[in-house]
Amino acid sequence: MDAHTSSPVPEITVILPTLNEAESIGTALATIEQVFSENQIDGEILVVDDRSQDATIAIVREYQKTHPNVQYLVRTTEPGLSRSLLDGFTHARADRILVTDADLQHDVTLIPQFLDALRDHDLVIGSRYMRGGSIEHWAWRRRIISLGATGLGQTLFPGITDPVSGFFALHRSVVEGVTIRGRGYKLSLDILAKGKYRSVTEIPYRFMSRKQGASKLNLSTIREYALQVGELVLYTLNNPTSRVWDEWRRIGRFGVVGATGVGVNWGMYALLAHGLVLAPLGAAVIAIETSIISNFLLNDRWTFQKTDRSIARFLAFQSVSMVGMVVQLAVFSLLVACAGSDNDLLVYPVGILVAFAWNYWGNRRLTWKNLS
Ligand code: GDD
Ligand code: MN
């Protein structure tokens, strides 16, 4: 690699891993350069190649003649996408690093947005699965594989919509001094589990179809991925400080708060419907609202550790809970219709349980989506 170490440190290094991308690399370089110049970004592009057998590197070398901000690295040991990216991190000159692919399936016009987000966050992930994100066209087989991989990743990071994204940006400090083996394809997952970051956020993007060349994903990739997740689960169990625990701790606390809410909710219902002989439906509505308020206060302070007060968060919680209430009432009415109104006290908790799952998911996405 010929480094231009004398020039000042660039604002950002964009890492492009390549394996036989001769058909795409030229367009990728030109497109990223255009994004740099249109947004006055002083950027570096670092191509990390695993000894491509085609003209990939010849094209990069040619392009470099007119664009000295383009660098490349040809690896000779232990090939692999994640390992290439890790090597890229050590050779990147900028403090801020963005990882994308050479086939332009990721939307590189979002580079300025990533830079913006890196002001407030250490790690920024491009997401296909959050609101505003999408996938242009995928064969059903590829979709299922991706959903499986994403779902598996979300068991470790329920707060992240696209934990296996290949499009992400970070401050160098997140990975500096961190030991990552770099098995397989999904480096973002290792970084989420082991990286040193205080805050992480996601940016939606549209994942485009591949225009040239072919995906390098195959069956061994899937096996590698399963092994990678297994490894990370073991790592997490041995490292109570891992970020994975942050989310599980929250779910646990949300559950405990939910349980106190069930007490409030159920007790209130018993009191109103059976003590004061209110109509069951009216009693349930008041009981639910009382528990919504007590749940919000406990979750805001304890589960999500908020120190400020926010009406917006309460309103979001209220909305999610209202939907939860509808869900709960629907399940409740259905079960009462089946089991008879004499069994109302018995079937009541079932509705609460279904509503709990909805409530965590909905509130994590809406009410407490920004956690520092
Ligand atoms: N250096 C190196 N070594 N590069 C590789 C290797 C390798 O072993 N395997 C693949 N690449 C390069 C490809 O040349 C391409 O630029 C990029 O890594 C992504 O490879 P694709 O084969 O095109 O991956 P994909 O489109 O199926 O999936 C991508 O997008 C997903 C969604 O964000 C990847 O980035 C996935 O990790 C990601 O989940
Ligand atoms: Mn691709």
Side-chain angles (χ1 to χ4, degrees), residues 25 32 41 92 138 213 240 244 260 289-290 299 308 320 326 337-338 372:
I25 187 70
I32 295 167
I41 295 170
W138 257 5
V244 177
T260 69
E289 184 55 36
T290 311
N299 279 323
D308 62 322
V320 173
V326 172
C338 297
S372 53

Side-chain angles (χ1 to χ4, degrees), residues 152-161 163 192-193 197-198 200 202 236 239-256 299 302-305 356-357 359-372:
L152 196 56
Q154 278 181 346
T155 58
L156 294 175
F157 304 98
I160 306 289
T161 62
L192 277 166
Y197 56 96
R198 271 158 301 144
V200 48
E202 291 184 285
T236 308
N239 291 272
T241 54
S242 164
R243 299 292 295 226
V244 177
W245 285 107
D246 292 355
E247 196 65 35
W248 283 106
R249 201 172 295 124
R250 286 186 200 114
I251 294 177
R253 287 186 177 186
F254 199 82
V256 171
N299 279 323
W302 187 54
T303 309
F304 297 101
Q305 304 272 312
F356 173 80
N359 279 339
Y360 188 81
W361 185 81
N363 280 306
R364 187 65 177 88
R365 289 266 182 285
L366 198 70
T367 316
W368 292 288
K369 64 170 183 274
N370 298 317
L371 298 175
S372 53

Side-chain angles (χ1 to χ4, degrees), residues 16-21 48-52 75 79-85 99-106 126 128 138 142 146 162 164-167 185-188 205 207-208 210 214-217:
L16 283 180
T18 51
L19 186 61
N20 302 325
E21 295 290 357
V48 187
D49 187 73
D50 262 334
R51 281 208 273 191
S52 290
R75 305 178 69 249
L81 177 51
S82 291
R83 285 187 202 101
S84 298
L85 298 176
V99 170
T100 184
D101 290 348
D103 55 13
L104 285 180
Q105 286 185 276
H106 300 141
R128 298 161 286 176
W138 257 5
R142 184 65 210 271
S146 171
D162 200 347
V164 296
S165 177
F167 191 31
Y185 225 58
K186 307 298 186 188
L187 187 64
S188 48
Y205 78 97
F207 188 75
M208 303 305 280
R210 210 184 226 276
S215 169
K216 276 78 195 173
L217 188 129

Side-chain angles (χ1 to χ4, degrees), residues 23-306:
E23 289 167 272
S24 318
I25 187 70
T27 326
L29 292 172
T31 311
I32 295 167
E33 281 296 338
Q34 197 184 339
V35 175
F36 283 169
S37 68
E38 275 171 8
N39 297 279
Q40 284 98 44
I41 295 170
D42 170 26
E44 169 189 56
I45 303 178
L46 176 57
V47 176
V48 187
D49 187 73
D50 262 334
R51 281 208 273 191
S52 290
Q53 299 303 301
D54 63 5
T56 304
I57 283 307
I59 294 168
V60 176
R61 234 186 251 132
E62 188 56 35
Y63 193 83
Q64 196 183 37
K65 288 182 185 154
T66 49
H67 296 81
N69 63 324
V70 173
Q71 309 290 325
Y72 68 88
L73 181 66
V74 177
R75 305 178 69 249
T76 49
T77 54
E78 286 200 297
L81 177 51
S82 291
R83 285 187 202 101
S84 298
L85 298 176
L86 290 170
D87 276 358
F89 293 161
T90 13
H91 286 86
R93 288 172 52 225
D95 164 60
R96 284 167 285 190
I97 300 171
L98 177 107
V99 170
T100 184
D101 290 348
D103 55 13
L104 285 180
Q105 286 185 276
H106 300 141
D107 183 1
V108 291
T109 64
L110 296 177
I111 290 174
Q113 273 194 43
F114 274 93
L115 276 173
D116 258 359
L118 280 174
R119 283 177 217 275
D120 300 324
H121 304 276
D122 303 315
L123 180 59
V124 184
I125 298 175
S127 170
R128 298 161 286 176
Y129 296 116
M130 75 192 284
R131 186 210 293 264
S134 59
I135 292 165
E136 188 187 28
H137 168 78
W138 257 5
W140 62 268
R141 186 173 164 271
R142 184 65 210 271
R143 248 175 221 274
I144 290 173
I145 292 175
S146 171
L147 284 177
T150 307
L152 196 56
Q154 278 181 346
T155 58
L156 294 175
F157 304 98
I160 306 289
T161 62
D162 200 347
V164 296
S165 177
F167 191 31
F168 57 90
L170 42 81
H171 285 272
R172 170 192 296 283
S173 57
V174 173
V175 286
E176 225 159 29
V178 177
T179 311
I180 296 177
R181 243 181 86 192
R183 181 199 274 283
Y185 225 58
K186 307 298 186 188
L187 187 64
S188 48
L189 211 60
D190 294 277
I191 294 176
L192 277 166
K194 301 182 178 175
K196 295 179 290 184
Y197 56 96
R198 271 158 301 144
S199 71
V200 48
T201 192
E202 291 184 285
I203 291 181
Y205 78 97
R206 183 163 169 75
F207 188 75
M208 303 305 280
S209 303
R210 210 184 226 276
K211 301 291 182 295
Q212 274 103 21
S215 169
K216 276 78 195 173
L217 188 129
N218 53 34
L219 270 180
S220 79
T221 318
I222 299 174
R223 205 202 53 200
E224 281 278 288
Y225 178 63
L227 290 173
Q228 184 191 356
V229 172
E231 215 170 274
L232 288 180
V233 169
L234 285 181
Y235 172 85
T236 308
L237 291 176
N238 288 317
N239 291 272
T241 54
S242 164
R243 299 292 295 226
V244 177
W245 285 107
D246 292 355
E247 196 65 35
W248 283 106
R249 201 172 295 124
R250 286 186 200 114
I251 294 177
R253 287 186 177 186
F254 199 82
V256 171
V257 171
T260 69
V262 171
V264 172
N265 195 341
W266 203 1
M268 198 71 171
Y269 177 79
L271 183 79
L272 296 174
H274 293 257
L276 300 177
V277 213
L278 242 69
L281 201 67
V285 170
I286 299 174
I288 290 168
E289 184 55 36
T290 311
S291 65
I292 287 175
I293 295 169
S294 68
N295 280 0
F296 172 75
L297 293 172
L298 287 170
N299 279 323
D300 206 47
R301 289 301 136 92
W302 187 54
T303 309
F304 297 101
Q305 304 272 312
K306 290 287 184 186

